[in-house]
Each structure stands twice: as structure tokens, then as C-alpha cells.
């Protein structure tokens, strides 16, 4: 009986370690990315997960229209494809 309790406690400890070292930080990172993508605004400078640097021209429910290059070509992207956002800074 005592050995079963030890085994159960060992498995619980291993699960707790995995949860706090791997699962919880990953969920926090996913939530931060989701929040960042949902707070996109027109004029924000973004980088896609493919490395394209562009400005946000229009924000839709599940996608964004990005202006790319000197000709300001407008290209649609899914929101999940946005990797980083650098908000438009107000210049004095």
C-alpha cells in the first residue's frame, strides 16, 4: 500500500514539473500572441512570420490588409501570420 502512494506522488510531482516548466509558459505565450494580433490598428508596422515587413492598411475580423513596398501594394494576410507588431509612434 505504501509503495502505491509513493508511485502516485512521484507521478503527480513529475506532472507538476512538466506543467510549470512547459505547459504554462506556452499557454502564456499563446495568449500574449492572440492579444497582440487582436489589438492590431491601422498604421501599425508589423512583421509576418515569413519575414515580410509591412504597414497595416485595414483590419478585418480574421485577416488584415498589409501595405508592402515602396508602391504600397496591398496584400491580404491572415491574422495568425503576424509575428510581431511595432505600433505606430506619434512624432512631434
Amino acid at each position: 500500500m505504501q509503495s502505491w502512494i509513493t508511485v502516485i506522488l512521484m507521478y503527480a510531482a513529475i506532472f507538476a514539473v512538466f506543467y510549470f516548466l512547459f505547459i504554462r509558459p506556452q499557454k502564456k505565450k499563446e495568449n500574449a500572441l492572440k492579444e497582440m494580433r487582436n489589438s492590431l490598428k491601422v498604421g501599425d508596422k508589423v512583421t509576418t512570420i515569413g519575414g515580410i515587413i509591412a504597414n497595416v492598411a485595414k483590419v478585418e475580423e480574421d485577416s488584415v490588409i498589409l501595405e508592402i513596398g515602396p508602391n504600397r501594394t496591398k496584400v491580404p494576410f491572415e491574422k495568425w501570420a503576424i509575428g510581431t507588431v511595432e505600433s505606430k509612434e506619434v512624432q512631434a
Side-chain angles (χ1 to χ4, degrees):
M1 183 68 177
Q2 184 70 20
S3 65
W4 284 104
I5 293 174
T6 306
V7 170
I8 291 172
L9 288 176
M10 184 69 84
Y11 279 117
I14 291 171
F15 176 76
V17 168
F18 272 97
Y19 178 77
F20 285 108
L21 290 179
F22 299 110
I23 299 170
R24 190 168 180 241
Q26 183 65 28
K27 284 188 177 187
K28 277 187 171 182
K29 185 176 179 181
E30 287 175 8
N31 286 340
L33 275 173
K34 188 175 182 180
E35 183 180 323
M36 177 264 304
R37 290 173 179 148
N38 287 332
S39 66
L40 288 172
K41 301 181 298 293
V42 174
D44 286 349
K45 186 175 181 180
V46 298
T47 303
T48 66
I49 58 175
I52 298 172
I53 300 171
N55 291 320
V56 176
K58 182 178 179 184
V59 179
E60 297 174 351
E61 188 173 333
D62 293 328
S63 62
V64 293
I65 307 296
L66 301 180
E67 291 180 344
I68 300 171
N71 294 335
R72 297 173 58 154
T73 305
K74 293 183 177 159
V75 181
F77 278 88
E78 295 292 324
K79 279 188 178 179
W80 60 262
I82 304 299
T84 59
V85 176
E86 180 183 322
S87 293
K88 184 178 181 181
E89 296 178 6
V90 179
Q91 297 178 356

